[in-house]
């Protein structure tokens, strides 16, 4: 699908979020410490961009779409996610 940016950043058609790689303007990135993770899956459910990948009882981040909002780190009950500043 070809990208078309409209003045004001308004996107009128639906079903195209996969085209917009929101990870490109991230300032902080979540880093998961797997040794602290208890596999509760809360980060997976809370992520507003569906950027947490859940595979075989392990969580990982899809950095192409993670915008670095920090919700996953805030909600993690095990403090297993640290938000680290991106290196420029
Ligand atoms: S919220 Fe924290 S403990 Fe739960 S699955 Fe995610 S990283 Fe692991
Ligand atoms: S920082 Fe935000 S966008 Fe990135 S994985 Fe966590 S909740 Fe999702």
């Amino acid at each position: 699908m070809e990208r078309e940016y409209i003045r004001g950043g308004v996107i009128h058609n639906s079903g195209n979020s996969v085209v917009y790689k929101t990870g490109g303007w991230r300032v902080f990135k979540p880093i998961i410490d797997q040794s602290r993770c208890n596999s509760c899956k809360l980060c997976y459910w809370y992520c507003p961009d569906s950027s947490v990948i859940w595979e075989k009882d392990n969580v990982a981040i899809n950095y192409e779409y993670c915008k670095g909002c920090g919700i996953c780190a805030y909600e993690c009950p095990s403090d297993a996610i640290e938000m680290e500043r991106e290196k420029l």
Side-chain angles (χ1 to χ4, degrees):
M1 187 183 298
E2 195 169 316
R3 277 184 226 196
E4 189 176 319
Y5 293 104
I6 300 165
R7 188 178 290 187
V10 178
I11 300 167
H12 294 287
N13 50 334
S14 60
N16 60 6
S17 62
V18 74
V19 177
Y20 296 94
K21 297 191 173 174
T22 44
W25 44 266
R26 186 180 52 240
V27 178
F28 287 92
K29 71 189 290 187
I31 308 290
I32 299 174
D33 179 349
Q34 299 291 347
S35 69
R36 297 181 69 111
C37 175
N38 65 14
S39 302
C40 72
K41 234 176 171 179
L42 278 180
C43 54
Y44 175 84
W45 292 115
Y46 274 100
C47 176
D49 284 317
S50 300
S51 300
V52 177
I53 304 158
W54 180 261
E55 279 179 348
K56 296 178 185 167
D57 284 350
N58 283 315
V59 285
I61 308 291
N62 183 337
Y63 290 114
E64 287 202 321
Y65 298 99
C66 166
K67 63 186 174 189
C69 66
I71 291 174
C72 54
Y74 181 82
E75 296 295 340
C76 177
S78 304
D79 289 332
I81 305 176
E82 283 284 329
M83 297 303 292
E84 183 179 278
R85 184 174 276 277
E86 288 279 6
K87 294 168 185 70
L88 298 177

Coordinates of all heavy atoms in Angstrom, one line a residue:
M1 N 0.8 -1.2 0.0 CA 0.0 0.0 0.0 C 0.9 1.3 0.0 O 1.8 1.3 0.7 CB -0.9 0.0 1.3 CG -1.9 1.1 1.3 SD -2.9 1.2 2.8 CE -3.7 -0.4 2.8
E2 N 0.6 2.2 -0.9 CA 1.4 3.4 -1.0 C 1.0 4.4 0.1 O -0.2 4.5 0.4 CB 1.2 4.0 -2.4 CG 2.2 5.0 -2.7 CD 2.1 5.4 -4.2 OE1 2.0 4.5 -5.0 OE2 2.2 6.6 -4.4
R3 N 2.0 5.0 0.7 CA 1.7 6.0 1.7 C 1.3 7.3 1.1 O 1.9 7.8 0.1 CB 3.0 6.3 2.5 CG 3.2 5.3 3.6 CD 4.3 5.7 4.4 NE 5.2 4.5 4.6 CZ 6.1 4.5 5.5 NH1 6.4 5.5 6.2 NH2 6.8 3.4 5.6
E4 N 0.3 7.9 1.7 CA -0.2 9.2 1.2 C -0.4 10.1 2.4 O -1.3 9.8 3.2 CB -1.4 9.1 0.4 CG -1.8 10.4 -0.3 CD -3.0 10.2 -1.2 OE1 -3.0 9.1 -1.9 OE2 -3.9 11.1 -1.2
Y5 N 0.4 11.1 2.6 CA 0.3 11.9 3.8 C -0.6 13.1 3.4 O -0.3 13.9 2.5 CB 1.6 12.4 4.3 CG 2.4 11.3 4.9 CD1 3.5 10.7 4.2 CD2 2.1 10.7 6.1 CE1 4.2 9.7 4.7 CE2 2.8 9.7 6.6 CZ 3.9 9.1 5.9 OH 4.6 8.1 6.4
I6 N -1.6 13.3 4.2 CA -2.6 14.4 4.0 C -2.2 15.6 4.9 O -1.8 15.4 6.0 CB -4.0 13.9 4.3 CG1 -4.3 12.7 3.3 CG2 -5.0 15.0 4.1 CD1 -5.5 11.9 3.7
R7 N -2.4 16.8 4.4 CA -2.2 18.0 5.2 C -2.9 17.9 6.6 O -4.0 17.5 6.7 CB -2.7 19.2 4.5 CG -2.2 20.5 5.2 CD -2.7 21.7 4.4 NE -2.0 21.8 3.2 CZ -2.1 22.9 2.4 NH1 -2.9 23.8 2.7 NH2 -1.4 22.9 1.3
G8 N -2.1 18.1 7.7 CA -2.7 18.0 9.0 C -2.5 16.6 9.6 O -2.9 16.4 10.7
G9 N -2.0 15.7 8.8 CA -1.8 14.4 9.3 C -3.0 13.6 9.5 O -3.0 12.5 10.2
V10 N -4.1 13.9 8.9 CA -5.4 13.2 9.1 C -5.4 12.0 8.1 O -5.1 12.2 6.9 CB -6.6 14.2 8.8 CG1 -7.9 13.4 8.9 CG2 -6.6 15.3 9.7
I11 N -5.8 10.9 8.6 CA -5.9 9.7 7.8 C -7.3 9.3 7.7 O -8.0 9.0 8.7 CB -5.1 8.5 8.4 CG1 -3.6 8.9 8.5 CG2 -5.2 7.2 7.6 CD1 -2.8 8.0 9.4
H12 N -7.9 9.4 6.5 CA -9.3 9.2 6.3 C -9.7 7.7 6.1 O -10.8 7.3 6.5 CB -9.8 10.0 5.1 CG -9.7 11.5 5.3 ND1 -10.5 12.2 6.1 CD2 -8.8 12.4 4.8 CE1 -10.2 13.5 6.1 NE2 -9.1 13.6 5.3
N13 N -8.9 6.9 5.5 CA -9.3 5.6 5.2 C -8.8 4.7 6.4 O -7.8 4.9 7.0 CB -8.8 5.0 3.9 CG -7.3 5.3 3.7 OD1 -6.8 6.2 4.3 ND2 -6.6 4.5 2.9
S14 N -9.6 3.6 6.6 CA -9.3 2.7 7.8 C -8.5 1.5 7.4 O -8.4 1.2 6.2 CB -10.6 2.3 8.4 OG -11.4 1.6 7.5
G15 N -8.1 0.7 8.4 CA -7.4 -0.6 8.1 C -6.0 -0.5 7.5 O -5.6 -1.4 6.8
N16 N -5.3 0.6 7.8 CA -4.0 0.8 7.2 C -2.9 1.1 8.2 O -1.8 1.6 7.8 CB -4.0 1.9 6.1 CG -4.4 3.2 6.7 OD1 -4.6 3.4 7.9 ND2 -4.6 4.2 5.9
S17 N -3.2 0.8 9.5 CA -2.2 1.2 10.5 C -0.8 0.4 10.3 O 0.2 0.9 10.7 CB -2.7 0.9 11.9 OG -3.0 -0.5 12.0
V18 N -0.9 -0.7 9.6 CA 0.4 -1.5 9.4 C 1.3 -0.7 8.5 O 2.6 -0.9 8.5 CB 0.0 -2.9 8.8 CG1 -0.4 -2.8 7.4 CG2 1.2 -3.8 9.0
V19 N 0.8 0.2 7.7 CA 1.6 1.0 6.8 C 2.4 2.1 7.5 O 3.5 2.4 7.1 CB 0.7 1.7 5.7 CG1 1.6 2.6 4.8 CG2 0.0 0.6 4.9
Y20 N 1.9 2.6 8.6 CA 2.5 3.7 9.3 C 3.4 3.2 10.5 O 2.9 2.8 11.5 CB 1.4 4.7 9.8 CG 0.7 5.3 8.7 CD1 -0.5 4.7 8.3 CD2 1.2 6.4 8.0 CE1 -1.2 5.3 7.2 CE2 0.5 6.9 7.0 CZ -0.7 6.4 6.5 OH -1.3 6.9 5.5
K21 N 4.7 3.1 10.2 CA 5.6 2.6 11.2 C 6.0 3.6 12.2 O 6.9 4.4 12.1 CB 6.9 2.0 10.5 CG 6.5 0.9 9.5 CD 7.6 0.1 9.0 CE 7.1 -1.1 8.2 NZ 8.1 -1.8 7.5
T22 N 5.1 3.6 13.3 CA 5.2 4.6 14.3 C 6.5 4.5 15.2 O 6.8 5.4 16.0 CB 4.0 4.5 15.3 OG1 3.7 3.2 15.6 CG2 2.8 5.1 14.6
G23 N 7.3 3.5 15.0 CA 8.5 3.4 15.8 C 9.6 4.4 15.3 O 10.6 4.6 16.0
G24 N 9.4 5.0 14.2 CA 10.4 5.9 13.6 C 10.6 7.2 14.4 O 11.6 7.8 14.3
W25 N 9.6 7.6 15.2 CA 9.8 8.9 16.0 C 9.9 8.6 17.5 O 9.7 9.5 18.3 CB 8.7 9.9 15.6 CG 7.3 9.3 15.6 CD1 6.6 8.8 14.5 CD2 6.4 9.1 16.7 NE1 5.4 8.4 14.8 CE2 5.2 8.6 16.1 CE3 6.4 9.4 18.0 CZ2 4.1 8.3 16.9 CZ3 5.3 9.1 18.8 CH2 4.1 8.6 18.2
R26 N 10.2 7.4 17.9 CA 10.3 7.0 19.3 C 11.5 7.7 20.0 O 12.5 7.8 19.4 CB 10.4 5.5 19.4 CG 10.4 4.9 20.8 CD 10.5 3.4 20.8 NE 11.7 3.0 20.0 CZ 11.6 2.2 18.9 NH1 10.5 1.7 18.5 NH2 12.7 1.9 18.3
V27 N 11.3 8.2 21.2 CA 12.3 8.8 22.0 C 12.9 7.8 23.0 O 14.1 7.7 23.3 CB 11.9 10.1 22.7 CG1 13.0 10.7 23.5 CG2 11.4 11.1 21.6
F28 N 11.9 7.1 23.6 CA 12.3 6.0 24.6 C 11.9 4.7 24.1 O 10.8 4.6 23.4 CB 11.6 6.3 25.9 CG 12.2 7.4 26.7 CD1 11.6 8.7 26.5 CD2 13.3 7.3 27.5 CE1 12.2 9.8 27.2 CE2 13.8 8.4 28.2 CZ 13.3 9.6 28.1
K29 N 12.7 3.6 24.3 CA 12.3 2.3 23.9 C 12.2 1.4 25.1 O 13.1 1.4 26.0 CB 13.3 1.8 22.8 CG 14.7 1.4 23.3 CD 15.6 1.1 22.2 CE 15.4 -0.2 21.5 NZ 16.4 -0.6 20.6
P30 N 11.2 0.5 25.1 CA 11.1 -0.5 26.2 C 12.1 -1.7 26.0 O 12.2 -2.2 24.9 CB 9.7 -1.0 26.1 CG 9.3 -0.8 24.6 CD 10.1 0.4 24.1
I31 N 12.7 -2.0 27.1 CA 13.7 -3.1 27.1 C 13.1 -4.1 28.1 O 12.9 -3.8 29.3 CB 15.1 -2.7 27.5 CG1 15.6 -1.6 26.7 CG2 16.0 -3.9 27.5 CD1 15.9 -1.9 25.2
I32 N 12.9 -5.4 27.7 CA 12.3 -6.4 28.6 C 13.4 -7.2 29.3 O 14.3 -7.7 28.6 CB 11.4 -7.3 27.9 CG1 10.2 -6.5 27.3 CG2 10.8 -8.4 28.8 CD1 9.3 -7.3 26.4
D33 N 13.4 -7.3 30.6 CA 14.3 -8.2 31.3 C 13.6 -9.5 31.5 O 12.7 -9.6 32.3 CB 14.7 -7.5 32.7 CG 15.6 -8.4 33.5 OD1 15.8 -9.6 33.1 OD2 16.1 -7.9 34.5
Q34 N 13.9 -10.5 30.6 CA 13.2 -11.7 30.6 C 13.3 -12.5 32.0 O 12.4 -13.3 32.3 CB 13.7 -12.6 29.5 CG 13.5 -12.1 28.1 CD 12.0 -12.0 27.7 OE1 11.1 -12.6 28.3 NE2 11.7 -11.2 26.6
S35 N 14.4 -12.2 32.7 CA 14.6 -12.9 34.0 C 13.6 -12.5 35.0 O 13.3 -13.2 36.0 CB 16.0 -12.7 34.5 OG 16.2 -11.4 34.9
R36 N 13.0 -11.3 34.9 CA 12.0 -10.8 35.8 C 10.6 -11.0 35.4 O 9.6 -10.9 36.1 CB 12.2 -9.3 36.0 CG 13.6 -8.9 36.6 CD 13.7 -7.4 36.8 NE 12.7 -7.0 37.8 CZ 13.1 -6.5 39.0 NH1 14.4 -6.4 39.3 NH2 12.2 -6.1 39.9
C37 N 10.4 -11.3 34.1 CA 9.1 -11.5 33.5 C 8.4 -12.7 34.0 O 9.0 -13.8 34.1 CB 9.2 -11.5 32.0 SG 7.6 -11.9 31.2
N38 N 7.1 -12.5 34.5 CA 6.4 -13.7 35.0 C 5.3 -14.2 34.0 O 4.4 -14.9 34.3 CB 5.7 -13.4 36.3 CG 4.7 -12.3 36.2 OD1 4.3 -11.9 35.1 ND2 4.3 -11.7 37.3
S39 N 5.4 -13.7 32.8 CA 4.5 -14.1 31.7 C 3.0 -13.8 31.9 O 2.1 -14.5 31.5 CB 4.6 -15.6 31.4 OG 6.0 -15.9 31.0
C40 N 2.8 -12.7 32.6 CA 1.4 -12.3 32.9 C 0.6 -11.8 31.7 O -0.6 -11.7 31.7 CB 1.3 -11.3 34.1 SG 1.9 -9.6 33.6
K41 N 1.4 -11.3 30.7 CA 0.8 -10.8 29.5 C 0.1 -9.4 29.6 O -0.6 -9.0 28.6 CB -0.3 -11.8 29.0 CG -0.1 -12.3 27.6 CD -1.2 -13.4 27.3 CE -1.2 -13.8 25.9 NZ -2.1 -14.8 25.6
L42 N 0.2 -8.7 30.7 CA -0.4 -7.4 30.8 C 0.1 -6.4 29.8 O -0.6 -5.6 29.2 CB -0.2 -6.9 32.2 CG -1.2 -7.4 33.3 CD1 -0.8 -6.7 34.7 CD2 -2.6 -7.1 32.9
C43 N 1.4 -6.5 29.5 CA 2.0 -5.6 28.5 C 1.4 -5.8 27.2 O 1.1 -4.9 26.4 CB 3.5 -5.7 28.5 SG 4.1 -7.4 28.2
Y44 N 1.1 -7.0 26.9 CA 0.5 -7.4 25.6 C -0.9 -6.8 25.5 O -1.2 -6.2 24.4 CB 0.5 -8.9 25.5 CG -0.2 -9.5 24.3 CD1 0.4 -9.7 23.1 CD2 -1.6 -9.9 24.4 CE1 -0.3 -10.2 22.0 CE2 -2.2 -10.5 23.4 CZ -1.6 -10.6 22.1 OH -2.2 -11.2 21.1
W45 N -1.7 -6.9 26.5 CA -3.0 -6.4 26.5 C -3.1 -4.9 26.5 O -4.0 -4.3 26.0 CB -3.9 -7.0 27.6 CG -4.1 -8.5 27.5 CD1 -3.6 -9.5 28.3 CD2 -4.8 -9.1 26.4 NE1 -4.0 -10.7 27.8 CE2 -4.7 -10.5 26.6 CE3 -5.5 -8.7 25.3 CZ2 -5.3 -11.5 25.8 CZ3 -6.1 -9.6 24.5 CH2 -6.0 -11.0 24.7
Y46 N -2.2 -4.2 27.2 CA -2.3 -2.8 27.4 C -1.6 -2.0 26.2 O -2.0 -0.8 26.1 CB -1.6 -2.4 28.7 CG -2.5 -2.4 29.9 CD1 -2.5 -3.5 30.8 CD2 -3.4 -1.4 30.1 CE1 -3.3 -3.5 31.9 CE2 -4.3 -1.4 31.2 CZ -4.2 -2.5 32.1 OH -5.0 -2.6 33.2
C47 N -0.7 -2.6 25.5 CA -0.1 -1.8 24.4 C -1.1 -1.3 23.4 O -1.8 -2.0 22.8 CB 1.0 -2.7 23.7 SG 1.7 -1.8 22.3
P48 N -1.1 0.1 23.3 CA -2.1 0.7 22.4 C -1.8 0.5 20.9 O -2.6 0.7 20.0 CB -2.1 2.2 22.7 CG -0.7 2.4 23.3 CD -0.3 1.1 24.0
D49 N -0.6 0.0 20.6 CA -0.2 -0.1 19.2 C 0.0 -1.6 18.8 O 0.6 -1.9 17.8 CB 1.2 0.6 18.9 CG 0.9 2.1 18.8 OD1 -0.1 2.5 18.2 OD2 1.7 2.9 19.4
S50 N -0.4 -2.5 19.7 CA -0.2 -4.0 19.4 C 1.2 -4.3 19.1 O 1.5 -5.1 18.2 CB -1.1 -4.4 18.3 OG -2.5 -4.2 18.7
S51 N 2.2 -3.6 19.8 CA 3.6 -3.8 19.5 C 4.3 -4.8 20.3 O 5.4 -5.1 20.2 CB 4.3 -2.5 19.7 OG 3.8 -1.5 18.8
V52 N 3.5 -5.4 21.3 CA 4.1 -6.5 22.1 C 3.7 -7.8 21.4 O 2.6 -8.1 21.1 CB 3.6 -6.4 23.5 CG1 4.1 -7.6 24.3 CG2 3.9 -5.1 24.2
I53 N 4.7 -8.6 21.2 CA 4.6 -9.9 20.5 C 4.6 -10.9 21.6 O 5.4 -10.9 22.5 CB 5.7 -10.1 19.5 CG1 5.9 -9.0 18.5 CG2 5.6 -11.5 18.8 CD1 7.2 -8.9 17.9
W54 N 3.6 -11.8 21.5 CA 3.5 -12.9 22.5 C 3.7 -14.2 21.8 O 2.9 -14.6 20.9 CB 2.1 -12.9 23.1 CG 1.9 -13.9 24.1 CD1 1.2 -15.1 23.9 CD2 2.3 -13.9 25.4 NE1 1.2 -15.8 25.1 CE2 1.9 -15.1 26.0 CE3 3.0 -13.0 26.2 CZ2 2.1 -15.4 27.4 CZ3 3.3 -13.2 27.5 CH2 2.8 -14.4 28.1
E55 N 4.8 -14.9 22.1 CA 5.1 -16.2 21.5 C 5.6 -17.2 22.5 O 6.6 -16.9 23.1 CB 6.2 -16.0 20.4 CG 5.6 -15.5 19.1 CD 6.7 -15.3 18.0 OE1 7.9 -15.3 18.4 OE2 6.4 -15.1 16.9
K56 N 4.9 -18.3 22.6 CA 5.4 -19.4 23.4 C 5.8 -18.9 24.8 O 6.9 -19.2 25.3 CB 6.6 -20.2 22.8 CG 6.2 -20.8 21.5 CD 7.4 -21.5 20.9 CE 7.0 -22.1 19.5 NZ 8.1 -22.5 18.7
D57 N 4.9 -18.2 25.5 CA 5.1 -17.7 26.9 C 6.2 -16.7 27.0 O 6.7 -16.5 28.1 CB 5.4 -18.9 27.9 CG 4.1 -19.6 28.2 OD1 3.0 -19.1 27.8 OD2 4.2 -20.7 28.8
N58 N 6.7 -16.1 25.9 CA 7.7 -15.1 26.0 C 7.1 -13.8 25.3 O 6.4 -13.9 24.3 CB 8.9 -15.5 25.2 CG 9.8 -16.4 26.1 OD1 10.0 -16.2 27.2 ND2 10.3 -17.4 25.4
V59 N 7.5 -12.7 25.9 CA 7.1 -11.4 25.2 C 8.3 -10.7 24.6 O 9.4 -10.9 25.1 CB 6.4 -10.4 26.2 CG1 5.0 -10.9 26.6 CG2 7.2 -10.2 27.5
A60 N 8.0 -10.0 23.5 CA 9.1 -9.3 22.8 C 8.4 -8.0 22.3 O 7.2 -7.9 22.2 CB 9.7 -10.1 21.7
I61 N 9.2 -7.1 21.8 CA 8.7 -5.8 21.3 C 8.9 -5.7 19.8 O 10.0 -6.0 19.4 CB 9.4 -4.6 22.0 CG1 9.3 -4.7 23.5 CG2 8.7 -3.3 21.5 CD1 8.0 -4.5 24.1
N62 N 7.9 -5.3 19.1 CA 8.1 -5.0 17.6 C 8.5 -3.5 17.5 O 7.6 -2.7 17.6 CB 6.9 -5.3 16.9 CG 7.0 -5.1 15.4 OD1 7.9 -4.3 15.0 ND2 6.2 -5.7 14.6
Y63 N 9.8 -3.3 17.4 CA 10.2 -1.9 17.4 C 9.9 -1.1 16.2 O 10.1 0.1 16.1 CB 11.7 -1.8 17.7 CG 12.1 -2.2 19.1 CD1 12.9 -3.4 19.3 CD2 11.7 -1.5 20.2 CE1 13.2 -3.8 20.6 CE2 12.1 -1.9 21.4 CZ 12.8 -3.0 21.6 OH 13.1 -3.4 22.9
E64 N 9.4 -1.7 15.1 CA 8.9 -1.0 14.0 C 7.7 -0.2 14.3 O 7.4 0.8 13.6 CB 8.7 -1.9 12.8 CG 9.9 -2.5 12.2 CD 9.7 -3.0 10.8 OE1 8.7 -3.5 10.5 OE2 10.7 -2.8 10.0
Y65 N 6.9 -0.7 15.2 CA 5.6 0.0 15.5 C 5.5 0.6 17.0 O 4.7 1.4 17.2 CB 4.4 -1.0 15.3 CG 4.4 -1.4 13.9 CD1 4.9 -2.6 13.5 CD2 3.8 -0.6 12.9 CE1 4.8 -3.0 12.1 CE2 3.7 -0.9 11.6 CZ 4.3 -2.1 11.2 OH 4.2 -2.5 9.9
C66 N 6.4 0.1 17.9 CA 6.4 0.6 19.2 C 6.7 2.1 19.2 O 7.8 2.5 18.7 CB 7.4 -0.1 20.1 SG 7.8 0.7 21.6
K67 N 5.8 2.9 19.8 CA 6.1 4.4 19.7 C 6.7 4.9 21.0 O 6.9 6.1 21.2 CB 4.8 5.1 19.5 CG 3.7 4.9 20.5 CD 2.4 5.6 20.1 CE 1.3 5.3 21.1 NZ 0.0 5.7 20.6
G68 N 7.0 4.0 22.0 CA 7.7 4.4 23.2 C 6.9 5.1 24.2 O 7.4 5.9 25.0
C69 N 5.6 4.8 24.3 CA 4.7 5.5 25.2 C 5.0 5.1 26.7 O 4.7 5.9 27.6 CB 3.3 5.3 24.9 SG 2.8 3.5 25.1
G70 N 5.5 3.9 26.9 CA 5.8 3.5 28.3 C 4.7 2.9 29.0 O 4.9 2.6 30.2
I71 N 3.5 2.7 28.4 CA 2.4 2.1 29.1 C 2.8 0.7 29.6 O 2.4 0.3 30.7 CB 1.2 2.1 28.2 CG1 0.7 3.5 28.0 CG2 0.1 1.2 28.8 CD1 -0.5 3.7 27.1
C72 N 3.5 -0.1 28.7 CA 3.8 -1.4 29.1 C 4.7 -1.5 30.4 O 4.5 -2.3 31.3 CB 4.5 -2.1 27.9 SG 6.0 -1.2 27.3
A73 N 5.6 -0.5 30.4 CA 6.5 -0.5 31.6 C 5.7 -0.1 32.8 O 6.0 -0.6 33.9 CB 7.7 0.5 31.3
Y74 N 4.8 0.9 32.7 CA 4.0 1.3 33.8 C 3.1 0.2 34.3 O 2.9 0.1 35.6 CB 3.1 2.5 33.3 CG 2.2 3.1 34.4 CD1 2.8 4.0 35.3 CD2 0.9 2.7 34.5 CE1 2.0 4.6 36.3 CE2 0.1 3.3 35.5 CZ 0.6 4.2 36.4 OH -0.2 4.7 37.4
E75 N 2.6 -0.6 33.5 CA 1.6 -1.6 33.9 C 2.3 -2.9 34.3 O 1.7 -3.8 35.0 CB 0.6 -2.0 32.7 CG -0.3 -0.8 32.3 CD -1.2 -0.4 33.4 OE1 -1.5 -1.2 34.4 OE2 -1.7 0.7 33.4
C76 N 3.5 -3.1 34.0 CA 4.2 -4.4 34.3 C 4.3 -4.6 35.8 O 4.9 -3.7 36.5 CB 5.6 -4.4 33.7 SG 6.5 -5.9 34.2
P77 N 3.7 -5.6 36.4 CA 3.8 -5.8 37.9 C 5.1 -6.3 38.4 O 5.3 -6.3 39.6 CB 2.7 -6.9 38.1 CG 2.7 -7.6 36.8 CD 3.0 -6.7 35.7
S78 N 6.0 -6.7 37.5 CA 7.3 -7.2 37.9 C 8.5 -6.3 37.7 O 9.6 -6.7 37.8 CB 7.6 -8.5 37.2 OG 6.5 -9.4 37.4
D79 N 8.1 -5.0 37.2 CA 9.2 -4.1 36.9 C 10.2 -4.7 35.9 O 11.4 -4.5 36.0 CB 9.9 -3.6 38.1 CG 9.0 -2.6 38.9 OD1 8.2 -2.0 38.3 OD2 9.2 -2.6 40.1
A80 N 9.7 -5.5 35.0 CA 10.5 -6.2 34.0 C 10.8 -5.4 32.8 O 11.6 -5.8 31.9 CB 9.9 -7.5 33.6
I81 N 10.2 -4.2 32.6 CA 10.4 -3.4 31.4 C 11.0 -2.0 31.8 O 10.4 -1.3 32.6 CB 9.1 -3.2 30.7 CG1 8.4 -4.5 30.4 CG2 9.3 -2.4 29.4 CD1 7.1 -4.4 29.7
E82 N 12.1 -1.7 31.3 CA 12.8 -0.4 31.5 C 12.7 0.4 30.2 O 12.8 -0.1 29.1 CB 14.3 -0.6 31.7 CG 14.7 -1.1 33.1 CD 14.6 0.0 34.2 OE1 14.8 1.2 33.8 OE2 14.3 -0.3 35.3
M83 N 12.4 1.7 30.4 CA 12.3 2.6 29.2 C 13.7 3.2 29.1 O 14.2 3.9 30.0 CB 11.2 3.7 29.4 CG 9.8 3.1 29.5 SD 9.3 2.1 28.1 CE 9.3 3.3 26.8
E84 N 14.3 3.0 28.0 CA 15.7 3.5 27.8 C 15.7 4.5 26.6 O 15.0 4.3 25.6 CB 16.5 2.3 27.3 CG 18.0 2.6 27.1 CD 18.7 1.3 26.7 OE1 19.1 0.5 27.6 OE2 18.9 1.1 25.5
R85 N 16.4 5.6 26.9 CA 16.4 6.7 25.8 C 17.1 6.2 24.6 O 18.1 5.5 24.6 CB 17.2 7.9 26.4 CG 17.1 9.1 25.4 CD 17.7 10.4 26.0 NE 16.8 11.1 26.8 CZ 15.9 12.0 26.3 NH1 15.8 12.2 25.0 NH2 15.1 12.6 27.1
E86 N 16.5 6.5 23.4 CA 17.1 6.1 22.1 C 18.4 6.9 21.9 O 18.5 8.0 22.2 CB 16.1 6.4 21.0 CG 14.9 5.5 20.9 CD 15.2 4.2 20.2 OE1 16.4 3.9 19.9 OE2 14.3 3.4 20.0
K87 N 19.3 6.2 21.3 CA 20.6 6.9 21.0 C 20.4 7.5 19.6 O 19.9 6.9 18.7 CB 21.7 5.8 20.9 CG 22.0 5.3 22.3 CD 23.0 4.1 22.3 CE 23.2 3.5 23.6 NZ 21.9 2.8 24.1
L88 N 20.8 8.7 19.5 CA 20.6 9.5 18.2 C 21.8 9.3 17.3 O 22.9 9.0 17.7 CB 20.3 10.9 18.4 CG 19.1 11.2 19.2 CD1 18.9 12.7 19.5 CD2 17.8 10.7 18.5
Ligands
LIG1 S1 3.8 -7.2 32.0 FE1 5.9 -7.5 32.6 S2 5.8 -9.5 33.7 FE2 3.9 -9.3 32.5 S3 4.4 -10.4 30.5 FE3 4.9 -8.2 30.3 S4 7.1 -8.0 30.8 FE4 6.3 -9.9 31.6
LIG2 S1 6.2 1.5 24.9 FE1 4.0 1.8 24.3 S2 3.9 1.3 22.2 FE2 5.9 0.5 22.9 S3 5.4 -1.7 23.5 FE3 5.2 -0.4 25.3 S4 3.0 0.1 25.4 FE4 3.5 -0.6 23.3

